[in-house]
Structures are given as C-alpha cells and as structure tokens.
Amino acid sequence: MQYDLVVIGGGPAGLAAAIEAKENGIDKILLIERDRELGGILQQCIHNGFGLHIFKQQLTGPEYAERFINILKEKNIEYITNTMVLDITDKKEVYILNEKLGYKKINAKAVILAMGCRERTRGAISIPGFRPSGIFTAGTAQRFLNIEGYMVGKKVVILGSGDIGLIMARRLTLEGAKVIAVVEIMPYSTGLTRNIVQCLKDFNIPLLFEHTVIDIKGKSRVEGVVVAKVDENKNPIKGTEIYYECDTLLLSVGLIPENELSKKAGVIIDKRTSGPFVTESMETNIEGIFACGNVVHVHDLVDYVTLEAKRAGKAAAKYIKGTLRRDGVKIITINGKGIRYVVPQIININNSKEVTLFFRVDNIYKDCKLEVRLNEKVIKSIKKDKVTPGEMETINIDFSKLDIKQDDKLFVEVKE
Amino acid sequence: MYDVLIIGAGIIGTSIARELSKYNLKVCVLEKDNDVANGTTKANSAIIHAGYDAKNGTLKARLNVLGNQMFDKLCRDLDVPFKRIGSLVLAFDDNDLNTLHKLYDNGIKNGVKDLYILSKEEVINIEPNVNKTVKAALYAKTAGIIGPFEMAIALAENAYENGVEFRLNSEVIDIKKEDVYVVYTKNEKFKARYVVNCAGLYADKINDMVSKNRFKIIPRRGEYYLLDKSVKLVNHIIFQCPTKLGKGVLITPTVHGNTLIGPNAEDLEDKEAINTTREGLRFVLDTAKKSVEDIPIGMSITNFAGLRARTELDDFIIKEAEDSKGFINVAGIESPGLSAAPAIALYVLDILKSSGLEFVRKNNFKNKRKGIIKFSDLSFEEKNELIKKDSRYGRIICRCEEITEGEIVDAIRRPLGATTLDGVKRRVRAGMGRCQGGFCSPRVMEILSRELKVKMEDIIKDHEGSYILTGPTKKEVD
Ligand SMILES: Cc1cc2nc3c(=O)[nH]c(=O)nc-3n(C[C@H](O)[C@H](O)[C@H](O)COP(=O)(O)OP(=O)(O)OC[C@H]3O[C@@H](n4cnc5c(N)ncnc54)[C@H](O)[C@@H]3O)c2cc1C
Ligand SMILES: Cc1cc2nc3c(=O)[nH]c(=O)nc-3n(C[C@H](O)[C@H](O)[C@H](O)COP(=O)(O)OP(=O)(O)OC[C@H]3O[C@@H](n4cnc5c(N)ncnc54)[C@H](O)[C@@H]3O)c2cc1C
C-alpha cells in the first residue's frame, strides 16, 4: 500500500492535519485511528468548553470533533478505525494491524504523528499503600462514565487538580457520588481557573493545596486514604495527617505525550516537553515526519491543538510537493527564566515569516511581563496580571522586519 | 476419596501437583483464593538463584542447587519464559571482598557450577552502569530470571490436563484425622490418605489443625519498584553483599524486559500486609543507588510488595509430621523457594513414597503444555496467518504490551482460565505496561463479561470484594 500522507491518530490533531493537507492539494491521504471511532479523547469529554477561540462557541468535546469528522468525510479523506499502528521506520514505512487487513506495511511520502497523550499513573508517582480496586486515573474514570455508562464509586478523593480531575469532580457529584476533596501537592492548580470555579467552588468541594496522598487503605477495595500537608521539598509533615474514608481514589496527576512509536522511527524527544523537537513547520528531526497536538506537548485547549495541526498539515503538503524550504537561517528558541518549555524549538524563517510560540511558565507569577528577546534585544513584551503553569501561553512573532542571522537565539522569559 | 490432597496453589503446591500427575494417583489441590499463584508466588524477585548463599548442609542449599538445574527443561516443556542471564554480587570494600570469597567457597561446597570472581575491570566491562567504586564481583553464570506466576499457572494447567483436580475458592478451615484425613472447607469435605501442606504464610495454621509440633510463620515483607521497558540499566542480576536480613536489594531485568528493584526486609505480624510504605520504598531506592548511581525513578510504572513465609529455623521445613503419619508439611518456604520448587516437589514425592504411597507411572502423561500464543513475538507472516484463522488476533486490546483480543480470550477459555482482571494480566500481561491498564481495563472487562456471561459490575480486579464498578450511570447526562 502506498500513500502520499499517513496521519497517525484520529483525535482533533490528526483530523485537522489531514483536512489541511487535503486543502493544500494532497489527495492520497490515510488517517489511522486505533479506537472504534474518530475524535480521540474528545469523545469522552461530554462537558462544554471546546472551541471558544476557533468557533466562538461553547461546544462539547464530541460536538467539536464532529465538525471536523464531517469535513473529513465531505472531503472524501480515507480513514480506518480499529486499527493500530505498531511500528514506523525512518523511511516512513508504517506497519498497521487490524482484523480485516491483518498486519500490513504502508509506504508513505510523509507521516504526521498525532497520537495524543496518556495519563500518569499511581506507579509513576509511587503512592505507597495497598493496591486494591477503586484507584482510577481520571481519564479512565471519565471513559467508564461517559462512554461505557458505569459509575466507578460513591465516595471519592481526587489527587491532582489537573483539568480532567476537576471536570470529573463535577461529573461524579452530578451522578450522586460524594467528592470529599481534591488534593494538590503544588501551591497552585495545574487546571484552568474556569474549571476550578465551575467544577469545585460551585459544588463546595474543598481544594487542598500543598497536600498529598501518603497512604492507601483497603485490601480488596479502597477503604480510605491518608492525606498530609507537605513541606517545601514535597515531604509530608508529621502530625498533619488526615484520614478520609472513601471507596475511590481518582488520579489527575499529569499527562505524558505518547511517543513510543515516534522513538521507533528515530524521532528525538525533548525532555522539557516529552514530545519531539519540532520546527516552525512541526517537522521532527526525521525529514518528512511531522507531529502535532498532545504528542508534541500537552495542550489545555483544543483550539490550539487545531491551530498547530493545521501548521503540520500544510507543511506536510509542501514537503510532499517539494516546496518545504530547508535552506536559510535557523533560529533556536530557548526557555529562559520562569519558562518550562517553548514550542517550536527550531524556526526556519524561510518557511514562515510569522510564528506563534507556545509555552508554559514554571510557577505562578503575578503582575509580570512575558518577554521575548532575539539574542540581547527585547522584541516583544506583554504585561500579565497573572500567569500559571496550568494555562498555556502564546505569543506571535513577526520576523519579516527583523534582521536574523544563522543560530540566533530567541529567548522567552518571565520578568517580575 | 483422594490419594493426595494438596493445600495451596502457589509455586510449591502446583509443582508438587504436576509431579504427582505423572502417576496413577487421585490428586486434588485446594486453594482459598479465586486463582492459582495469587499469594507470595506473584510478588517476589523472580530469580532462579544459583545456590551459593544458602548455608552448606541445609535443605535450602541442596534443593536450590538441584532445582536450578531443572529449569531449562521444565520451562521448555511448559512454555514459560526463563533466561539464564547470570548474577553478580558486588563488593565495594575489603569486608565485602571477604564475603565474596566466603560465598564462593560455600557455593563450591553446595555444588554450584560456573562460579567466578571478577575483577573491577571485568565487572564494568559487562555492566557499564554499575557504580565505579566497585572492587570485584562474584559471578554466578547459572542464575536466571523467570516469570514466577506464569510458571505456577503453567504447572497447574499441565497438572490439570493430566488429571489433577483444582478447587479454587476453597479455604481449608479444619482437618480431622479419622481412618483417613477429612479436610473441611466452608461447604465441602474431602477425604484423603495423604495431605500436603503448602499453604505458604498460613502453613502454621494448617499444621496446627493436625499436629502438636508447632512452628510459627513470620511474614517478612519486601517492597519493589518496577521500571518501564524503555529503561535498560543492567544485563545481569545485580546483588550487593548479603546481610543478616537476607540477600539485600537487587537490580535485575525481568523476563519481559522491565527492570525490577528491591526488596527490603521487614518482619511483621499481619499476613496480609502486602502494602508498600514510603520508608520501605525510600530504603530500596537509596540502597539500590549503591549498585547503580543513576536510577531514573521517574520511569517507575508500579510498586508492589510480597511476604516471605519465614520461620525461626532459617531452613525449609519439609517433612512428615512425627505425630501424624501421612500429613506432610512444606513450610517456611522463603527464598530460594521459587528456585528450589521443582526439587522440593521431587523431595516431597520421596517422603510420600517412604510413607507408603505407591507410585505407578501413567503411560499417557502429557509432559508438554502449550502456552498462550504471544502475538507480538510472531513474524510478519505468522501474524497474518493467525489473523486469517482468527480475526481476534487483529485487534489490539492492551496498547502498551500489544496484547490482542485473541490472547485474552485464550487466557479466559483455557483450563483454570482467568476470571478476574488481574487473572488476565498475570496470564497475558494486558494492563502490565506503562499505562497500567488505563486504556485496556474497560476493554478487558468487556471481554471477561462476554466470555464468562457475567455483568460488567460483577467483574472484580483480584480478590473477592475488589469490585470495580458500582452500577450504571443515570440515564441523562449533563
Ligand atoms: C481527558 C481530557 C480532558 C480535556 N478537557 C478539555 C476541555 O475541557 N477543553 C478543551 O478545550 N480542551 C480539553 N482537553 C484538551 C484537548 O482536548 C486535547 O489537548 C486534545 O484532545 C488533544 O488532541 P490530540 O489529537 O493531540 O490527541 P487525542 O485526542 O488524544 O487523539 C490522539 C488519537 O490518536 C490515536 N492513536 C494513538 N496512538 C495510535 C496508534 N499507534 N495507532 C493508531 N491510533 C493511535 C488515539 O487513539 C487517539 O484517538 C482535554 C484533554 C484531555 C486528555
Ligand atoms: C520479597 C520476596 C522475594 C523473593 N525472591 C525470590 C527469588 O528471587 N527467588 C526465589 O527462589 N524465591 C524468592 N522468594 C521466595 C518465593 O517467592 C517463595 O518461596 C514461593 O513463592 C513460595 O511459594 P508457596 O507456594 O510456598 O507460597 P504461596 O505462593 O504463598 O502459596 C500458598 C498458597 O496457599 C493458599 N492458602 C493459604 N491458606 C490456605 C487455606 N487455609 N486453604 C487453602 N489454601 C490456602 C494461599 O492462598 C496461596 O495461594 C521471594 C519471596 C519474597 C516475599
């Protein structure tokens, strides 16, 4: 089997990338999704709040996905579901598996990686205690409730204040469960402010900062958890232990880009994002392999996923047609003081004069400035009342009037 | 009426059952849990020790060395993952060097083959990640790694195929000696001429039902970290010098390519205390860093703990009760119990023989067991061949370990098949990967529910009472 473009992953990233490539003149496209239906993680996000930026509308996750799925179908873009990509090589050979075709090799001129992310588990953060049933990652619980139609418990403690945890606090409450508390080890939430208000405050669910779960009780099913306050080194403080009787512990302790497949193709992963190093065109270090969405870095708003995916789709089309530029000066972006990471990591201005930088701060800062420097020179400075690690920031940079030399450095920094 | 009743379906009970199934005997295994291999056999270091450290002259030493030699054939016959990767005991100072030589000498006395003392350079050459302050190491070429629950499950399946009965969910609550033994579970009673006690942590309780010669099992906990497959730290089993609490903290690859780090050793009262602790895990990590400084602990995918069934005696107790003929204790089977298991089984057969049980070989004994096909290990052509025969092999359920629906259905349908989420996990590894069942548990539950014809809400994780779902959601959603 031979295609111009293979897109791996049928979430919002994969969908938008495939559509954009088609609109840019690529015809032989195959989009591959391992789940039963297209839409990715959006299918289980039945709450409102998707598409505010792009559609100026409050859509649910499935509604947002449906808009793109419909366009995909109208444009006759070929897709297969229930199909898992098991391997990719740096020669852009894609190995797929499903019940009808069996195990097959596909050759592609270009590949777009859009595999999304997975949730961090109890094991990743080594919560001690027993290992009974009743411990779920928030996303798994969300799937049980919203897709399978089952409740996971009656009295719930949630560890971590990531968005999925917050959303699930509300969802479980509306389903008649008692959410006792949300416990967060950091002094701030990694979730969106609007979710803290709408999902916790409106339901009087307490949010405990600088606390964590230090023990899990129950030999068959969870019977309770011990929560304690932590010191500045995140060690529990003796004497601050609280015992909560509960039958369920939900974990919303972070997402990890799913790059096992990318690594098989030789794609290099940036430790700061856990996703591939990418260029302004969302191209990885392997020529012709592009990436977008949560596989590159974890997004909190789907709108930005779509934006980024369009970039990848457009660039892949250029690459297939042989018009993606490799010549010209390249700039490296650098996360300066107060910034955890910046995407893209490399910019070739021959491919686009205007680039949106995506980045996250490493702590809460109030009354500060977000500054972009080209080497020593400040080229942009934006006043902010408050920035938090839970909300991704973006800045547009117009390079057309700047004098750029090879290996110039573009710094993003927080100025207090 | 049975010839032999075996109490406990851990590695010991299943090894004995399989050995007995070679003969014309009526044998039954009683297990309190809902699956085999759900006790200590599922939570240990999974090492087939070479046998240099158990004190010369003990049963532990003799049966370890004998047992070790039996694994190649056993694992080939039963289709169980086993790799002789060799072990190293690292020495960091003169005291340790002294210990190495003592271990070496003890090993030679025990009859261990292929033991060598390696220089610092030789150690670093084969193990580039170990702490550079290492001075020397004892290399035991015959040490290996195994899938311990896979082994016990395979033994049980093969014993079953050869006629041994298995009664799960059957806790022994009393034993009476009449003209024969009458063994009571909650709802049934079983008569047998011989009873073999392999109840692990509860072997003392079982013994108390029959014999006046008491012993006490002291649970000694060991805690572990298990790291993601992408981490490659060591090529061999890396020990430090043993202390009075045992063989100490080790770092080893597992047969499936993960890295295992642990255990500590802590004596407890509670025989169900398989919880991990903050202090225990910290100790394990700090101690392991002496062997390999740079451990990416952020790549941990799970922690677990197991309980060693220790007695004051510091040796296995394998003998017929002096005051009760026909009742055989196989107790205090702490490490190297797994390594010794096949030899323990032979030893128990000898005891039964000398106690008067007649052994007549079956002529239709099937020594081979076909394991569950491991789809991801097949070649391109084999994969397609298999999917053509059964399309369920074309459907990946566990994404991290690449386990197909075909494999899961096989795990459920075969004799003594899986009935729980963890039962599936132990047989085919669905849910054992880096996402720890986050993606696949709803799918696996669906398959269990369909195959076993039970409701989703009735699927449990592991032991009785470990329910996962509490019922359907309300019809309308927000
Ligand atoms: C649980 C959750 C709640 C969220 N809530 C909100 C919210 O309220 N509002 C908002 O704006 N944003 C929200 N977001 C953020 C936003 O929706 C996500 O960032 C976005 O869905 C990411 O899109 P994606 O396409 O990169 O990944 P995904 O949606 O995860 O899609 C990736 C797809 O790739 C498939 N795939 C992966 N590997 C393979 C393979 N090997 N072979 C074939 N297919 C593969 C997966 O099955 C999946 O369908 C949420 C995110 C999550 C995870
Ligand atoms: C931390 C740790 C590390 C270890 N590392 C190694 C190693 O690397 N190499 C090695 O060789 N050995 C090792 N061991 C030792 C090895 O794991 C044990 O020797 C072995 O698993 C013991 O098996 P068993 O069958 O005796 O016990 P178990 O597996 O505990 O089986 C006993 C069974 O009896 C059942 N039972 C109990 N009471 C009743 C009752 N009343 N009625 C019915 N059934 C009952 C239980 O449910 C259980 O299934 C280690 C042990 C631990 C704890």
Side-chain angles (χ1 to χ4, degrees):
Chain A
M1 289 197 277
Q2 169 78 47
Y3 286 87
D4 287 340
L5 175 63
V6 168
V7 180
I8 305 173
L15 290 167
I19 292 166
E20 190 71 13
K22 178 88 179 187
E23 284 177 356
N24 281 272
I26 303 304
D27 274 328
K28 274 200 76 87
I29 302 176
L30 178 66
L31 181 137
I32 305 167
E33 168 57 47
R34 61 185 173 188
D35 224 310
R36 287 182 282 216
E37 47 187 334
L38 296 174
I41 205 74
L42 292 178
Q43 294 296 6
Q44 65 184 60
C45 302
I46 58 172
H47 53 280
N48 262 319
F50 296 81
L52 267 176
H53 295 255
I54 289 194
F55 297 114
K56 310 282 175 247
Q57 233 178 323
Q58 291 257 20
L59 303 175
T60 66
E63 282 167 358
Y64 187 94
E66 200 188 351
R67 296 203 171 191
F68 289 87
I69 296 169
N70 287 342
I71 302 175
L72 188 89
K73 289 180 178 164
E74 279 161 26
K75 292 193 176 295
N76 284 316
I77 297 171
E78 198 181 331
Y79 67 90
I80 34 173
T81 55
N82 282 316
T83 304
M84 175 103 175
V85 176
L86 290 181
D87 208 352
I88 341 172
T89 68
D90 54 359
K91 298 190 185 60
K92 296 178 275 290
E93 298 156 319
V94 179
Y95 289 85
I96 64 161
L97 178 74
N98 72 23
E99 287 176 285
K100 285 203 201 81
L101 299 170
Y103 191 45
K104 285 275 153 351
K105 181 171 98 172
I106 301 174
N107 291 299
K109 289 182 186 156
V111 173
I112 295 179
L113 308 171
M115 289 92 74
C117 59
R118 64 166 179 273
E119 297 178 277
R120 288 178 82 206
T121 64
R122 172 187 181 182
I125 53 172
S126 290
I127 308 171
F130 282 92
R131 293 170 300 289
S133 67
I135 305 167
F136 301 87
T137 57
T140 302
Q142 190 180 40
R143 180 162 187 117
F144 270 125
L145 264 83
N146 296 348
I147 304 219
E148 322 283 336
Y150 292 101
M151 269 300 272
V152 294
K154 298 199 165 87
K155 281 177 92 177
V156 187
V157 169
I158 301 179
L159 176 64
S161 60
D163 284 315
I164 323 170
L166 299 175
I167 298 279
M168 286 310 290
R170 173 174 64 188
R171 182 79 176 91
L172 286 162
T173 308
L174 293 173
E175 277 293 335
K178 165 105 186 114
V179 178
I180 302 169
V182 176
V183 179
E184 168 63 60
I185 196 166
M186 302 303 281
Y188 53 80
S189 166
T190 51
L192 296 169
T193 312
R194 71 160 195 236
N195 283 339
I196 295 178
V197 175
Q198 293 167 8
C199 301
L200 301 187
K201 294 224 167 94
D202 291 358
F203 294 89
N204 292 318
I205 298 170
L207 171 55
L208 283 88
F209 287 117
E210 297 182 281
H211 277 74
T212 193
V213 171
I214 60 163
D215 201 3
I216 298 171
K217 308 276 188 204
K219 287 169 182 172
S220 303
R221 172 82 187 194
V222 172
E223 288 165 13
V225 297
V226 181
V227 168
K229 194 166 167 48
V230 296
D231 62 20
E232 55 279 8
N233 300 318
K234 309 277 172 285
N235 288 320
I237 302 169
K238 275 228 157 58
T240 63
E241 297 87 357
I242 322 166
Y243 180 71
Y244 289 119
E245 201 188 293
C246 60
D247 62 13
T248 306
L249 174 65
L250 236 57
L251 304 175
S252 179
V253 292
L255 301 168
I256 311 164
E258 186 128 295
N259 277 294
E260 280 63 38
L261 206 52
S262 323
K263 288 184 208 157
K264 288 186 183 175
V267 168
I268 299 174
I269 304 301
D270 185 342
K271 280 215 169 91
R272 297 166 295 189
T273 53
S274 302
F277 281 94
V278 288
T279 67
E280 76 300 326
S281 305
M282 303 309 292
E283 190 177 25
T284 67
N285 61 303
I286 306 289
E287 237 190 79
I289 299 189
F290 299 79
C292 55
N294 279 351
V295 83
V296 178
H297 59 129
V298 176
H299 298 66
D300 30 61
L301 290 179
V302 72
D303 307 68
Y304 292 123
V305 172
T306 303
L307 273 178
E308 199 180 86
K310 282 185 168 181
R311 257 200 233 169
K314 197 167 176 177
K318 276 194 191 170
Y319 172 82
I320 294 162
K321 292 187 282 189
T323 58
L324 190 68
R325 301 268 298 263
R326 312 217 158 262
D327 58 321
V329 294
K330 292 186 190 75
I331 309 172
I332 298 164
T333 61
I334 291 180
N335 55 320
K337 196 177 149 291
I339 304 293
R340 193 174 283 160
Y341 70 78
V342 183
V343 169
Q345 291 87 340
I346 302 154
I347 299 169
N348 178 345
I349 53 166
N350 273 349
N351 281 321
S352 65
K353 291 277 174 274
E354 229 188 286
V355 173
T356 310
L357 302 177
F358 295 124
F359 57 93
R360 272 179 204 273
V361 295
D362 64 5
N363 208 331
I364 289 193
Y365 297 94
K366 287 187 176 146
D367 297 319
C368 62
K369 276 187 277 182
L370 295 175
E371 230 176 59
V372 183
R373 274 191 292 119
L374 184 64
N375 300 323
E376 303 306 316
K377 194 176 148 223
V378 177
I379 56 170
K380 205 147 197 178
S381 178
I382 295 167
K383 266 212 164 74
K384 287 272 174 182
D385 297 339
K386 186 182 170 193
V387 286
T388 101
E391 301 191 17
M392 195 174 79
E393 300 290 335
T394 60
I395 292 185
N396 280 311
I397 306 286
D398 183 353
F399 289 100
S400 53
K401 293 195 180 62
L402 295 170
D403 176 25
I404 308 283
K405 292 184 299 303
Q406 178 70 22
D407 294 334
D408 272 354
K409 294 188 172 64
L410 197 68
F411 293 87
V412 182
E413 274 173 358
V414 179
K415 278 267 149 56
E416 281 178 273
Chain B
M1 162 100 145
Y2 293 97
D3 292 312
V4 186
L5 262 184
I6 297 171
I7 303 173
I11 190 70
I12 302 302
T14 55
S15 292
I16 296 169
R18 198 253 180 177
E19 206 50 50
L20 288 173
S21 74
K22 295 176 178 169
Y23 303 89
N24 280 320
L25 295 167
K26 210 165 140 46
V27 181
C28 177
V29 181
L30 300 177
E31 167 56 54
K32 76 174 157 71
D33 223 312
N34 56 21
D35 200 354
V36 301
N38 214 358
T40 298
T41 297
K42 77 169 175 190
N44 51 64
S45 306
I47 309 298
I48 301 309
H49 293 287
Y52 51 75
D53 58 335
K55 201 167 140 226
N56 183 250
T58 59
L59 263 181
K60 270 189 186 173
R62 197 171 112 212
L63 297 174
N64 183 169
V65 176
L66 264 176
N68 177 296
Q69 296 161 5
M70 297 168 70
F71 274 89
D72 302 277
K73 172 160 167 43
L74 203 52
C75 290
R76 235 180 296 122
D77 282 352
L78 299 180
D79 203 354
V80 173
F82 170 60
K83 291 178 187 156
R84 269 191 206 279
I85 59 172
S87 69
L88 293 173
V89 182
L90 306 182
F92 292 99
D93 56 32
D94 292 345
N95 238 343
D96 285 355
L97 279 178
N98 213 358
T99 310
L100 285 198
H101 287 283
K102 279 194 192 138
L103 287 173
Y104 178 87
D105 293 343
N106 192 58
I108 299 295
K109 270 197 235 155
N110 287 352
V112 179
K113 296 203 187 71
D114 293 323
L115 273 181
Y116 310 92
I117 302 238
L118 304 187
S119 69
K120 176 188 181 119
E121 290 67 35
E122 288 171 316
V123 175
I124 290 177
N125 201 16
I126 58 171
E127 283 297 350
N129 289 335
V130 301
N131 195 325
K132 301 289 180 288
T133 59
V134 67
K135 281 206 150 86
L138 175 69
Y139 175 46
K141 206 175 161 184
T142 57
I145 50 178
I146 197 167
F149 33 87
E150 285 103 321
M151 182 82 215
I153 290 167
L155 286 161
E157 281 180 16
N158 188 241
Y160 178 92
E161 232 196 310
N162 286 301
V164 174
E165 284 178 42
F166 281 80
R167 297 298 186 98
L168 303 175
N169 302 305
S170 301
E171 178 175 7
V172 172
I173 49 174
D174 200 9
I175 305 174
K176 294 227 161 67
K177 171 121 204 217
E178 293 164 13
D179 47 336
V180 294
Y181 287 99
V182 187
V183 177
Y184 293 83
T185 63
K186 198 166 152 223
N187 300 316
E188 281 177 288
K189 63 180 184 185
F190 301 83
K191 287 187 175 173
R193 291 162 61 204
Y194 292 86
V195 173
V196 184
N197 171 15
C198 323
L201 291 159
Y202 294 94
D204 51 356
K205 259 180 78 179
I206 300 289
N207 176 66
D208 289 355
M209 296 173 189
V210 178
S211 172
K212 292 210 170 52
N213 305 328
R214 304 270 153 119
F215 54 82
K216 186 172 185 285
I217 303 272
I218 308 147
R220 178 176 280 181
R221 182 167 58 199
E223 304 177 38
Y224 295 89
Y225 280 96
L226 189 84
L227 307 190
D228 190 90
K229 281 181 176 171
S230 62
V231 177
K232 298 287 173 222
L233 284 185
V234 293
N235 309 310
H236 302 80
I237 306 149
I238 308 293
F239 293 103
Q240 296 171 8
C241 279
T243 66
K244 56 180 185 304
L245 279 176
K247 288 182 276 283
V249 172
L250 60 85
I251 305 179
T252 180
T254 68
V255 278
H256 299 291
N258 297 85
T259 300
L260 186 64
I261 304 177
N264 60 340
E266 184 189 355
D267 287 344
L268 304 165
E269 287 293 324
D270 184 357
K271 290 179 174 179
E272 302 288 326
I274 53 158
N275 54 316
T276 56
T277 65
R278 201 181 173 80
E279 298 72 31
L281 291 174
R282 161 138 334 147
F283 173 84
V284 164
L285 185 58
D286 288 348
T287 313
K289 282 182 175 162
K290 194 176 157 193
S291 300
V292 174
E293 283 169 298
D294 209 2
I295 297 175
I297 210 62
M299 299 300 282
S300 157
I301 63 172
T302 189
N303 299 105
F304 63 86
L307 296 170
R308 308 166 181 92
R310 220 179 70 76
T311 68
E312 298 280 86
L313 212 73
D314 257 355
D315 200 1
F316 299 151
I317 300 173
I318 310 176
K319 58 181 184 195
E320 187 170 36
E322 276 148 25
D323 56 354
S324 197
K325 199 173 140 45
F327 179 81
I328 291 126
N329 278 313
V330 191
I333 310 297
E334 55 176 333
S335 186
L338 191 60
S339 323
I344 290 177
L346 291 182
Y347 189 72
V348 169
L349 257 66
D350 280 343
I351 296 175
L352 288 168
K353 233 176 256 171
S354 43
S355 176
L357 183 63
E358 304 112 58
F359 284 83
V360 180
R361 272 206 179 260
K362 270 182 203 158
N363 40 28
N364 57 350
F365 173 72
K366 298 186 209 77
N367 69 323
K368 292 238 196 284
R369 166 238 182 209
K370 235 183 107 40
I372 297 168
I373 294 172
K374 198 146 179 16
F375 183 79
S376 65
D377 285 351
L378 301 180
S379 71
F380 194 93
E381 290 74 27
E382 288 169 334
K383 281 183 175 144
N384 280 312
E385 201 90 329
L386 190 58
I387 297 168
K388 234 179 263 154
K389 264 190 255 152
D390 184 345
S391 67
R392 285 173 300 199
Y393 286 95
R395 190 169 169 233
I396 297 273
I397 301 294
C398 166
R399 299 158 178 190
C400 303
E401 298 288 314
E402 288 177 12
I403 310 299
T404 62
E405 179 168 4
E407 290 161 271
I408 294 172
V409 169
D410 188 1
I412 298 169
R413 287 193 186 168
R414 58 176 45 221
L416 302 172
T419 58
T420 64
L421 213 48
D422 282 3
V424 170
K425 180 167 119 177
R426 281 192 291 274
R427 283 167 179 80
V428 294
R429 294 184 61 73
M432 286 242 183
R434 48 181 70 93
C435 91
Q436 288 287 298
F439 280 122
C440 70
S441 54
R443 292 285 78 72
V444 175
M445 287 171 69
E446 217 171 68
I447 299 171
L448 276 165
S449 154
R450 182 191 73 207
E451 293 291 320
L452 302 172
K453 301 193 173 56
V454 295
K455 287 197 300 203
M456 281 286 276
E457 295 97 304
D458 294 337
I459 307 282
I460 54 175
K461 175 180 180 288
D462 193 3
H463 305 286
E464 195 190 334
S466 60
Y467 63 92
I468 297 159
L469 304 171
T470 54
T473 50
K474 296 176 187 168
K475 280 288 160 286
E476 277 154 66
V477 289
D478 57 316

